[in-house]
Amino acid sequence: MFHLDPSIEHPERIVIEMLARNYASPGSSGSGYDLLRVLENNVAKSLQVRRIDIEAVKNLEGYYNSLGYEKTGENYYDSSWKEIVNMTKRV
């Protein structure tokens, strides 16, 4: 699941508020990765977006680092998701 929120105030970026794996769906392995690649390679270019921001759960910070995202700003706590890390990638 994800929420894509292009901002009128910041049209140069796309914010992905939550991207999570659906463990209840047997065929969901890799679908988040595929979704990010389509967003980075197709959607961002079509919209002339220069940056993608993502809110990642703390334990996935290393995974997003491996995809080229870097930590930005302060972490915050969400009662459902626990510790959240703000990350960004230039595209």
Side-chain angles (χ1 to χ4, degrees):
M1 115 180 132
F2 77 102
H3 176 75
L4 187 120
D5 187 17
S7 169
I8 292 172
E9 295 85 25
H10 302 285
E12 76 284 355
R13 70 179 181 158
I14 293 174
V15 178
I16 302 172
E17 290 190 7
M18 284 297 151
L19 179 63
R21 186 178 205 181
N22 183 355
Y23 289 98
S25 176
S28 68
S29 178
S31 57
Y33 173 82
D34 293 341
L35 184 62
L36 276 178
R37 288 299 175 222
V38 168
L39 184 63
E40 292 170 1
N41 296 326
N42 301 99
V43 176
K45 287 181 182 173
S46 296
L47 296 175
Q48 297 180 332
V49 167
R50 296 184 193 117
R51 174 176 122 192
I52 297 174
D53 295 341
I54 191 166
E55 296 178 346
V57 292
K58 176 68 175 161
N59 66 337
L60 292 177
E61 182 178 358
Y63 171 72
Y64 288 111
N65 277 141
S66 74
L67 298 178
Y69 288 82
E70 296 178 356
K71 181 180 175 181
T72 58
E74 297 292 321
N75 295 2
Y76 70 92
Y77 183 83
D78 179 89
S79 61
S80 298
W81 297 92
K82 309 298 181 220
E83 190 173 2
I84 303 296
V85 179
N86 291 301
M87 304 187 82
T88 221
K89 181 177 184 176
R90 300 265 176 215
V91 290

